[in-house]
């Protein structure tokens, strides 16, 4: 399978009045054609900023991509011109954002918003674009789609608006779809429908997907590999089944232990990760998870561990990843 995307040492900073926010701190990963991966972590860990950097959508000022390479189909997206990037964005790499109500323009019809990209990227005329837009809306499960092209976003439910955003993202047949927490604002039933829809569309269209979420429970059955982010770093990366069964980082362990279990006893408390995420205004010289980690040793305070091999296709940024093999429950240590 051919390599589609190579992200190497990506660094993104925000230069604010309070200081420099170290949002993304040298992350690296790759994605093959048709492959799916998840970026997982709590709010503020750099997931969304990292993919917005790939898309060159970081607001400047105050944001700035300070280093790294993003090789997509043998082109460095950080080195090409703005005009070249505009032809790729939406056409070859599409993005579905968290909140469809703020992503869709409330004063333009759904049809107007869907046909704009088709005319720009595929050179369609008005009739062709409307036909394609209706076809895509039908594909994502909106019945009588042609009749809804003249509707406005407020006339759709939250789940339907998110389906419109997915249809819009897929309308130009992109090679890569980035889904930035697309189910966050939806209720659980609709979340499951959207997840299943994306899985079906990926199987049908053969595109690669980067799925961004804070919920490890969502990605279990829909991606092939997972990268766990904390404080702007990738702290663990592995195939999805390997990560669930043999996680090697205390933060990943804490995330998994905080998920409700089907066999959990009544009134049994969920494990929690004590403390607060680090202040990103200062770049950590120690392990960023050290203040919250029950496995911390002196070396953790002295040196920030790099992402190291810890198993087959498994990488972990932890000095004590070998200890994790024998101790699989974060809650036992707190």
């Amino acid at each position: 399978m051919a390599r589609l995307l190579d992200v190497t040492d990506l660094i993104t900073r925000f230069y604010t009045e309070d200081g420099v926010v170290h949002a993304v701190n040298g992350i690296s990963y790759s994605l093959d054609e048709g492959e799916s991966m998840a970026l997982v972590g709590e709010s503020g860990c750099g997931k969304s900023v990292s993919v917005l950097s790939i898309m060159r959508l970081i607001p400047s000022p105050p944001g700035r991509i300070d280093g790294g390479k993003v090789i997509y189909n043998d082109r460095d997206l950080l080195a090409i011109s703005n005009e070249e990037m505009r032809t790729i964005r939406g056409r070859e790499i599409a993005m579905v954002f968290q909140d469809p109500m703020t992503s869709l323009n409330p004063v333009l019809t759904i049809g107007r918003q869907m046909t704009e990209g088709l005319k720009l990227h595929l050179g369609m005329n008005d009739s062709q674009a409307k036909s394609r837009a209706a076809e895509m809306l039908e594909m994502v499960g909106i019945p009588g789609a042609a009749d809804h092209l003249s509707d406005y976003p407020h006339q759709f439910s939250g789940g339907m608006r998110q389906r419109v955003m997915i249809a819009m993202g897929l309308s130009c047949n992109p090679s890569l779809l980035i889904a930035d927490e697309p189910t966050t604002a939806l209720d659980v039933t609709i979340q499951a429908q959207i997840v299943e829809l994306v899985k079906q569309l990926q199987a049908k269209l053969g595109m690669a997907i980067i799925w961004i979420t804070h919920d490890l429970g969502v990605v279990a059955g829909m991606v092939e590999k997972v990268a766990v982010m904390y404080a702007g770093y990738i702290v663990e990366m592995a195939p999805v089944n390997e990560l669930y069964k043999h996680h090697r980082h205390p933060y990943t362990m804490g995330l998994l232990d905080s998920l409700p279990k089907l066999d959990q006893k009544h009134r049994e408390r969920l494990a929690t990760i004590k403390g607060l995420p680090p202040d990103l205004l200062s770049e950590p010289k120690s392990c960023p998870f050290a203040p919250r980690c029950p496995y911390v040793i002196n070396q953790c305070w002295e040196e920030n561990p790099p992402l190291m091999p810890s198993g087959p296709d498994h990488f972990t940024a932890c000095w004590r990843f070998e200890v994790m093999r024998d101790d699989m429950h974060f809650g036992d240590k707190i």
Side-chain angles (χ1 to χ4, degrees), residues 31-107:
L31 195 67
D32 291 337
E33 290 179 354
E35 189 178 25
S36 56
M37 73 171 288
L39 286 175
V40 179
E42 61 197 65
S43 297
C45 71
K47 308 183 299 294
S48 296
V49 172
S50 68
V51 293
L52 288 172
S53 300
I54 290 172
M55 298 284 282
R56 298 250 302 261
L57 290 174
I58 296 294
S60 178
R64 194 170 77 198
I65 300 169
D66 276 353
K69 291 184 177 181
V70 177
I71 307 298
Y72 169 80
N73 277 342
D74 301 323
R75 288 170 291 178
D76 186 354
L77 299 185
L78 304 185
I80 62 177
S81 68
N82 289 332
E83 289 72 22
E84 286 179 282
M85 191 65 214
R86 274 194 288 270
T87 65
I88 291 173
R89 195 189 297 128
R91 172 66 184 91
E92 297 182 51
I93 304 176
M95 191 161 179
V96 178
F97 295 92
Q98 284 188 36
D99 184 359
M101 198 58 204
T102 55
S103 302
L104 292 167
N105 190 322
V107 300

Side-chain angles (χ1 to χ4, degrees), residues 251-301:
Y251 178 60
T252 310
M253 188 184 295
L255 287 179
L256 287 168
D257 270 7
S258 66
L259 293 174
K261 312 292 191 298
L262 288 175
D263 59 353
Q264 194 148 351
K265 295 174 184 175
H266 183 56
R267 296 183 183 277
E268 186 180 335
R269 293 179 67 86
L270 293 171
T272 59
I273 303 175
K274 293 184 177 179
L276 297 171
D279 181 2
L280 297 180
L281 287 173
S282 55
E283 188 171 9
K285 304 302 179 192
S286 61
C287 172
F289 192 62
R292 308 173 74 183
C293 181
Y295 296 89
V296 66
I297 56 175
N298 286 340
Q299 187 178 10
C300 305
W301 295 108

Side-chain angles (χ1 to χ4, degrees), residues 111-332:
R112 167 76 183 277
Q113 295 181 68
M114 286 203 65
T115 55
E116 185 177 13
L118 294 167
K119 294 174 183 177
L120 175 67
H121 292 300
L122 302 184
M124 290 184 174
N125 61 34
D126 195 53
S127 176
Q128 291 169 327
K130 282 183 178 179
S131 177
R132 173 67 172 168
E135 177 190 336
M136 293 307 299
L137 290 177
E138 290 279 0
M139 184 187 289
V140 299
I142 296 179
D147 298 329
H148 290 297
L149 291 176
S150 57
D151 290 347
Y152 289 86
H154 74 270
Q155 294 174 268
F156 288 74
S157 67
M160 287 299 180
R161 283 195 294 267
Q162 197 58 285
R163 287 170 186 265
V164 170
M165 288 299 299
I166 293 169
M168 198 179 298
L170 299 180
S171 60
C172 294
N173 294 324
S175 301
L176 172 61
L177 177 69
I178 299 172
D180 186 1
E181 304 213 37
T183 62
T184 296
L186 308 175
D187 65 54
V188 176
T189 308
I190 306 300
Q191 279 187 22
Q193 292 176 6
I194 295 296
V195 168
E196 189 58 34
L197 171 66
V198 173
K199 284 171 63 178
Q200 291 172 2
L201 291 172
Q202 184 191 19
K204 183 176 181 178
L205 303 174
M207 62 190 170
I209 292 181
I210 298 176
W211 188 280
I212 299 169
T213 181
H214 59 271
D215 186 355
L216 270 168
V218 167
V219 301
M222 65 173 304
V223 298
E224 293 159 72
K225 64 182 179 183
V226 179
V228 180
M229 288 192 69
Y230 185 79
Y233 296 91
I234 290 178
V235 295
E236 187 162 16
M237 184 161 53
V240 63
N241 291 333
E242 168 73 8
L243 187 93
Y244 277 77
K245 292 177 182 176
H246 306 295
H247 36 275
R248 301 278 187 259
H249 197 281
Y251 178 60
T252 310
M253 188 184 295
L255 287 179
L256 287 168
D257 270 7
S258 66
L259 293 174
K261 312 292 191 298
L262 288 175
D263 59 353
Q264 194 148 351
K265 295 174 184 175
H266 183 56
R267 296 183 183 277
E268 186 180 335
R269 293 179 67 86
L270 293 171
T272 59
I273 303 175
K274 293 184 177 179
L276 297 171
D279 181 2
L280 297 180
L281 287 173
S282 55
E283 188 171 9
K285 304 302 179 192
S286 61
C287 172
F289 192 62
R292 308 173 74 183
C293 181
Y295 296 89
V296 66
I297 56 175
N298 286 340
Q299 187 178 10
C300 305
W301 295 108
E302 293 165 0
E303 191 178 0
N304 190 356
L307 206 58
M308 303 173 279
S310 60
D313 297 321
H314 198 150
F315 301 88
T316 310
C318 179
W319 297 120
R320 306 196 68 198
F321 68 80
E322 292 179 347
V323 176
M324 305 295 120
R325 292 173 182 166
D326 306 315
D327 193 350
M328 298 296 286
H329 289 289
F330 191 87
D332 296 342

